[in-house]
Amino acid sequence: MTDADTRAAATLSERLDRLPFTRMHVRVLTGSGLGWALDAMDVGLISFVIAALAAQWELQPYETAWIASIGFVGMAIGASVGGLLADRFGRRSVFALTLLVYGVATGASALVGGVVALLVLRFFVGLGLGAELPVASTYVSEFAPARIRGRLIVILEAFWAVGWTAAALIGYFVIPTSDAGWRWAFALGAIPAAYALFVRWGLPESARWLERRGRHEEAGTVVRSFEESAGSAASDPVAIDVDMQPAASSTVGSRLAVLWSHEFRLRTACLWLVWFCVNFSYYGAFIWIPSILVAQGYDLVRSFGFTLIITLAQLPGYATAAWLIEVWGRRLTLSVFLVGSAASAVAFGTVGSEAGVIAAGMALSFFNLGAWGALYAVTPEMYPTSLRATGSGWAAGAGRIASIIAPLLVPVLLALGGAPTLFVVFAAFFVVAAAAAWGLVDKRGMALDDR
């Protein structure tokens, strides 16, 4: 790389960080966010479908548990592989591919006639979904100006609440209407297959990734499009006396090894622990809430109605986290929301009245999804550009192991001690995650590491 290239590479990063929030940022954020919302809709739908199929197909608890868990097996693999692919082939292309895979598999799920076929398709849904989420957060973080990067990632994660609310509406208004209601729900989940085409050709590739791959002219074109969107003429590269550091890693094997090098091992260990604990409690609770309410004596429609109300509390949770993450920083915001999640989980497991169930459920939804927003904001910041998607993907993959285990353990814990025992266990995992959050590096307002 020539000295001019070195100066240009440094300049591109600085130019991205000093931009105001532009129409191009809106395009990247909403384009990625809509994919995120469609993902959430699919994950949310399965909790309602399980409750309906358990009655319609007379499923045993272990069968419903596997329907919930098999998608997370795919997610664990998808997250790990997707991050590696995104560091090799680009953020945008892998993002589009993941949308296509899980959209087609979800639509095909509407046609199944038995548990085995549904399990196979849910695995492929998980592959696509698992790869998409860490890639999307990495993609948006690499365009976001440093001073508002955390806030934009939390807003991106807030699209999850939009998708989950859509799933709750479908669960409430579509699934209970007929025996084929769950099939129509899956058919609606096929929308991402069409949306993938827009992502592939309608969104720009990450300029930071292009520059790191040596595609300087393409990277410059992308940055200039953002500057033009801000109403300013594209600037020439500014000569600065800073040498561009070599990539932290350049091959698949080295990327995985560097995650556990002296520089990154503490943040990797803490990040994986937070992801594991948050996944365990979130998916253990929210996948099973409709079924738990039915088991407590509420009918299917009433259970789905409670879940819809609880889901709506996600949006103010995200909004609060989006504000606090640039005021308090990443670690404090994440840990506070995790402690709030723990207290809410204990309350949800012990209250008995309808009002108590709804209030505790809304608090759990508020704090837990605010914590998710903070976690997705901090994760891409832990690693340099050359292994950012890999680091994010493997952290998510470690978390997905917990999301496989949790739905399988829920029936066991319910049998041992009922809802109080179950939600105390979830609270304990939230507390461990809150402690582990303090092993992460807080990069509020700081430039991304472009090695």
Side-chain angles (χ1 to χ4, degrees):
M1 179 179 289
T2 67
D3 186 54
D5 286 336
T6 296
R7 292 194 300 271
T11 302
L12 289 175
S13 177
E14 290 187 350
R15 283 159 62 180
L16 284 170
D17 276 341
R18 69 178 177 233
L19 281 170
F21 187 66
T22 70
R23 290 189 304 274
M24 286 296 293
H25 289 109
V26 173
R27 183 178 174 187
V28 167
L29 182 62
T30 56
S32 303
L34 286 173
W36 202 294
L38 292 168
D39 286 358
M41 186 177 76
D42 177 84
V43 175
L45 280 175
I46 197 63
S47 66
F48 297 99
V49 169
I50 287 172
L53 287 183
Q56 190 179 134
W57 286 0
E58 299 181 350
L59 299 178
Q60 298 299 312
Y62 75 89
E63 292 176 305
T64 56
W66 270 111
I67 293 172
S69 289
I70 193 65
F72 298 120
V73 176
M75 281 185 180
I77 298 171
S80 303
V81 174
L84 290 167
L85 292 176
D87 278 332
R88 174 65 180 85
F89 297 106
R91 289 38 167 147
R92 180 187 62 176
S93 297
V94 175
F95 181 37
L97 177 62
T98 61
L99 288 169
L100 182 65
V101 169
Y102 96 81
V104 170
T106 299
S109 299
L111 305 176
V112 300
V115 173
V116 174
L118 181 59
L119 290 175
V120 171
L121 287 170
R122 291 305 302 172
F123 173 78
F124 283 100
V125 168
L127 278 180
L129 180 59
E132 191 274 331
L133 297 179
V135 172
S137 59
T138 297
Y139 176 69
V140 174
S141 72
E142 291 182 344
F143 279 114
R147 66 189 178 280
I148 57 171
R149 185 173 59 242
R151 187 163 294 161
L152 291 188
I153 300 303
V154 177
I155 293 172
L156 170 68
E157 232 281 295
F159 279 87
W160 184 270
V162 175
W164 200 281
T165 301
L169 290 170
I170 294 169
Y172 185 72
F173 290 108
V174 176
I175 293 178
T177 57
S178 70
D179 287 346
W182 63 271
R183 296 186 187 274
W184 286 109
F186 276 143
L188 290 171
I191 294 172
Y195 183 68
L197 297 176
F198 166 78
V199 171
R200 179 61 183 87
W201 286 287
L203 296 178
E205 182 54 89
S206 165
R208 295 177 190 271
W209 179 83
L210 288 169
E211 189 66 23
R212 177 49 69 183
R213 301 296 295 182
R215 294 158 64 175
H216 308 301
E217 185 175 345
E218 294 175 67
T221 299
V222 171
V223 174
R224 283 192 293 274
S225 71
F226 277 76
E227 290 172 330
E228 290 165 1
S229 179
S232 60
S235 58
D236 293 328
V238 179
I240 56 176
D241 189 21
V242 176
D243 290 330
M244 187 178 183
Q245 293 179 288
S249 63
S250 57
T251 65
V252 170
S254 68
R255 288 189 187 106
L256 298 179
V258 171
L259 292 181
W260 293 99
S261 65
H262 177 74
E263 180 180 359
F264 298 111
R265 66 175 62 135
L266 176 61
R267 66 183 75 173
T268 295
C270 290
L271 194 61
W272 286 25
L273 183 57
V274 175
W275 271 90
F276 186 92
C277 292
V278 173
N279 270 273
F280 184 92
S281 296
Y282 174 77
Y283 286 106
F286 282 88
I287 288 293
W288 279 93
I289 279 178
S291 298
I292 290 171
L293 292 174
V294 169
Q296 291 179 342
Y298 300 104
D299 62 39
L300 196 64
V301 174
R302 197 167 183 78
S303 167
F304 286 3
F306 286 176
T307 305
L308 174 57
I309 295 170
I310 289 169
T311 300
L312 293 175
Q314 295 181 10
L315 288 170
Y318 283 126
T320 305
W323 175 63
L324 289 176
I325 202 164
E326 300 296 1
V327 177
W328 287 356
R330 279 58 164 148
R331 290 183 300 195
L332 180 57
T333 302
L334 177 56
S335 60
V336 166
F337 274 82
L338 287 170
V339 171
S341 300
S344 303
V346 172
F348 187 85
T350 55
V351 295
S353 65
E354 287 188 8
V357 167
I358 292 173
M362 291 181 71
L364 179 59
S365 190
F366 174 93
F367 284 109
N368 198 181
L369 276 297
W372 269 118
L375 181 56
Y376 269 104
V378 73
T379 299
E381 296 179 343
M382 293 299 97
Y383 302 105
T385 298
S386 57
L387 71 150
R388 184 168 294 124
T390 298
S392 299
W394 277 75
R400 298 310 177 191
I401 296 172
S403 62
I404 297 166
I405 297 169
L408 296 173
L409 285 181
V410 166
V412 178
L413 293 171
L414 284 173
L416 288 175
T421 297
L422 176 66
F423 280 87
V424 166
V425 171
F426 292 153
F429 274 82
F430 281 132
V431 170
V432 172
W438 289 93
L440 305 177
V441 177
D442 197 319
K443 294 205 169 219
R444 177 180 50 153
M446 298 169 62
L448 290 174
D449 184 345
D450 277 324
R451 283 180 292 165

